[in-house]
């Protein structure tokens, strides 16, 4: 497999360093290999950030989904709920919430939409699935990238050692 | 603390070599930046408490039974009514929540604001002291550097006539 499902290319392992070094100078090869390693590291960073943000968002979506379920179940009754809501960081105030067929969801970017409880449940469930898949992919990518980075670092070490050996042989030959 | 500081300054003016002065300078710089960070955190905390106080005022007498969008989670809002404008619940820390009348909550936040204000003032005083020590230190260092340069020039001047004399 030359690339993982998200299109990250697999790092080639240099089997025969002598063959590999016939095409380019050691400096140019080492530079190319280092560039590839930094590209992999950049991708690793971005996957790490993705994973962090998804791991934060998923519990929030699950909580909101639970609350919507609870509201749906109470729709039949005519009893309002007494609740405390957050006014500010350390301040909460009392409110009563009558049974309602609609809820408002904050979608971000100054957008809030009103949905029926069923629509809201569907929307949140699909958001949750997308987030969970994204998290699974990010973790898979991170494992794959770890392997490729190790392979490239091994390549760099072998090329470097080959270069050191060559220089030593040259020195001994000219001495 | 201040007698320690002035004691330190007296020693530095007389004895310490440039290298040690550099170390003390770096130490003072680190302390000053840490204290300045703590000071701005205090200011932020004060701002947050002031904001909370302002929020209590929104539960003014006219707002009983007013319809609002009640946040039930960070992205879910439901229409509801303000049910009790006379009492609120305050998070006093370490997982404790206390129900207070709106007036008492206002007093509570006032106390918090004053407490943070006092701490901020103390930090400011310490920062000013450290900055004064720092400035004194810089002057001494400047003096030593100039002395060193003069010495080096004199040595170079002493060598040259010898070389010319040969």
């Amino acid at each position: 497999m030359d690339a993982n499902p998200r299109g990250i290319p697999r790092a080639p392992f240099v089997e025969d360093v002598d063959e590999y070094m016939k095409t380019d100078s050691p400096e140019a090869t080492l530079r190319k290999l280092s560039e590839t390693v930094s590209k992999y590291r950049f991708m690793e960073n971005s996957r790490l950030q993705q994973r962090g943000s998804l791991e934060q968002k998923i519990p929030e979506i699950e909580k909101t989904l639970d609350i919507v379920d609870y509201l749906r179940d109470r729709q039949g009754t005519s009893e309002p709920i007494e609740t405390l809501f957050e006014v500010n960081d350390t301040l909460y105030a009392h409110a009563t919430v009558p049974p309602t067929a609609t809820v408002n969801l904050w979608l971000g970017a100054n957008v809030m939409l009103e949905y029926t409880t069923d629509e809201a449940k569907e929307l949140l469930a699909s958001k949750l699935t997308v987030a969970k898949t994204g998290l699974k992919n990010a973790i898979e990518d991170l494992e794959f990238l770890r392997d490729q980075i190790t392979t490239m670092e091994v390549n760099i070490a072998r090329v470097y050692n080959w270069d050191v050996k060559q220089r030593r042989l040259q020195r001994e030959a000219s001495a | 603390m201040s007698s320690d500081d002035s004691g330190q300054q007296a020693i530095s003016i007389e004895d310490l070599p440039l290298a040690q002065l550099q170390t003390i300078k770096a130490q003072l710089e680190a302390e000053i930046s840490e204290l300045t960070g703590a000071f701005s955190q205090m200011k932020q905390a004060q701002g947050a408490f002031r904001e909370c106080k302002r929020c209590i005022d929104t539960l003014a007498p006219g707002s009983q039974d007013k319809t609002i969008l009640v946040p039930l989670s960070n992205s879910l809002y439901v229409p509801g009514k303000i049910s009790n404008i006379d009492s609120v619940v305050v998070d006093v820390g370490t997982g404790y929540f206390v129900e207070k009348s709106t007036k008492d909550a206002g007093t509570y936040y006032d106390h918090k604001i004053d407490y943070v204000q006092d701490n901020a003032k103390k930090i400011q005083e310490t920062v000013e002291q450290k900055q004064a020590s720092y400035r004194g230190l810089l002057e001494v260092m400047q003096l030593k550097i100039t002395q060193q340069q003069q010495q080096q020039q004199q040595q170079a001047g002493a060598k040259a006539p010898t070389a010319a004399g040969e």
Side-chain angles (χ1 to χ4, degrees):
Chain A
M1 195 178 47
D2 280 329
N4 91 337
R6 252 77 55 207
I8 304 175
R10 184 174 283 279
F13 179 64
V14 177
E15 292 284 359
D16 188 345
V17 190
D18 281 329
E19 252 328 295
Y20 191 70
M21 295 308 289
K22 287 212 170 98
T23 40
D24 257 332
S25 79
E27 289 83 15
T29 321
L30 280 172
R31 210 168 344 118
K32 262 196 312 190
L33 294 173
S34 303
E35 264 177 33
T36 321
V37 168
S38 28
K39 282 192 205 145
Y40 278 130
R41 288 223 174 93
F42 175 77
M43 280 194 269
E44 191 183 27
N45 254 337
S46 85
R47 295 301 182 276
L48 275 171
Q49 275 182 347
Q50 257 185 339
R51 187 182 75 174
S53 93
L54 285 172
E55 277 175 347
Q56 250 195 344
K57 281 210 292 190
I58 288 181
E60 283 176 4
I61 302 179
E62 284 174 341
K63 206 168 54 142
T64 313
L65 191 51
D66 281 340
I67 299 178
V68 170
D69 272 336
Y70 176 70
L71 289 173
R72 267 179 84 232
D73 293 336
R74 290 190 86 260
Q75 253 178 302
T77 66
S78 56
E79 219 184 80
I81 319 174
E82 268 272 343
T83 182
L84 284 170
F85 68 97
E86 188 172 347
V87 181
N88 205 318
D89 199 21
T90 49
L91 186 65
Y92 298 80
H94 299 279
T96 47
V97 178
T100 172
T102 62
V103 295
N104 301 289
L105 285 177
W106 174 264
L107 303 174
N110 280 340
V111 174
M112 183 189 282
L113 286 184
E114 190 171 5
Y115 294 87
T116 64
T117 41
D118 288 331
E119 286 173 346
K121 187 180 161 109
E122 258 180 57
L123 180 68
L124 287 170
S126 81
K127 268 191 170 184
L128 189 61
T129 345
V130 166
K132 284 193 167 154
T133 329
L135 184 62
K136 189 167 83 62
N137 286 343
I139 293 180
E140 233 180 69
D141 286 349
L142 275 173
E143 286 173 2
F144 184 77
L145 282 167
R146 257 292 89 213
D147 283 340
Q148 306 321 305
I149 290 177
T150 314
T151 310
M152 289 307 290
E153 285 178 343
V154 167
N155 283 340
I156 290 178
R158 295 179 84 221
V159 167
Y160 185 76
N161 292 340
W162 180 91
D163 185 44
V164 165
K165 196 177 81 170
Q166 287 301 105
R167 285 174 200 264
R168 186 169 49 84
L169 292 175
Q170 276 176 357
R171 261 205 322 270
E172 289 172 359
S174 58
Chain B
M1 197 60 79
S2 51
S3 62
D4 267 345
D5 269 353
S6 57
Q8 221 174 10
Q9 262 181 309
I11 298 174
S12 74
I13 288 172
E14 281 159 27
D15 285 332
L16 293 176
L18 203 55
Q20 264 182 297
L21 290 180
Q22 298 268 26
T23 327
I24 299 179
K25 173 169 169 283
Q27 208 183 348
L28 276 176
E29 277 171 356
E31 284 174 4
I32 289 177
S33 78
E34 213 185 284
L35 288 171
T36 321
F39 181 74
S40 50
Q41 274 184 336
M42 296 271 154
K43 281 290 167 195
Q44 268 186 338
Q46 210 182 13
F49 288 132
R50 287 218 172 94
E51 182 67 24
C52 281
K53 239 200 118 201
R54 206 182 52 80
C55 290
I56 298 180
D57 294 335
T58 64
L59 292 176
S63 58
Q64 175 76 31
D65 288 331
K66 269 234 176 97
T67 316
I68 54 169
L69 276 178
V70 179
L72 293 182
S73 94
N74 69 342
S75 52
L76 180 69
Y77 292 74
V78 187
K81 292 209 172 99
I82 300 181
S83 65
N84 191 344
I85 56 162
D86 295 317
S87 89
V88 290
V89 173
V90 181
D91 176 359
V92 293
T94 65
Y96 280 87
F97 295 79
V98 182
E99 180 158 6
K100 289 180 187 279
S101 73
T102 30
K103 198 162 65 79
D104 287 340
T107 324
Y108 170 77
Y109 282 120
D110 277 330
H111 282 162
K112 278 258 156 101
I113 292 172
D114 291 333
Y115 175 70
V116 171
Q117 181 67 19
D118 285 339
N119 276 349
K121 218 173 6 160
K122 284 192 200 141
I123 291 183
Q124 201 174 18
E125 285 170 9
T126 319
V127 168
E128 279 166 11
Q129 268 180 2
K130 298 248 174 219
Q131 277 179 336
S133 309
Y134 185 67
R135 278 193 292 269
L137 188 67
L138 281 180
E139 279 175 19
V140 171
M141 282 181 71
Q142 194 54 40
L143 195 64
K144 293 226 166 199
I145 290 174
T146 333
Q147 278 178 350
Q148 236 182 24
Q149 283 176 342
Q150 281 177 343
Q151 269 182 345
Q152 282 174 346
Q153 275 179 350
Q154 278 177 348
Q155 281 179 347
K159 282 191 190 142
T162 328
E166 281 178 8

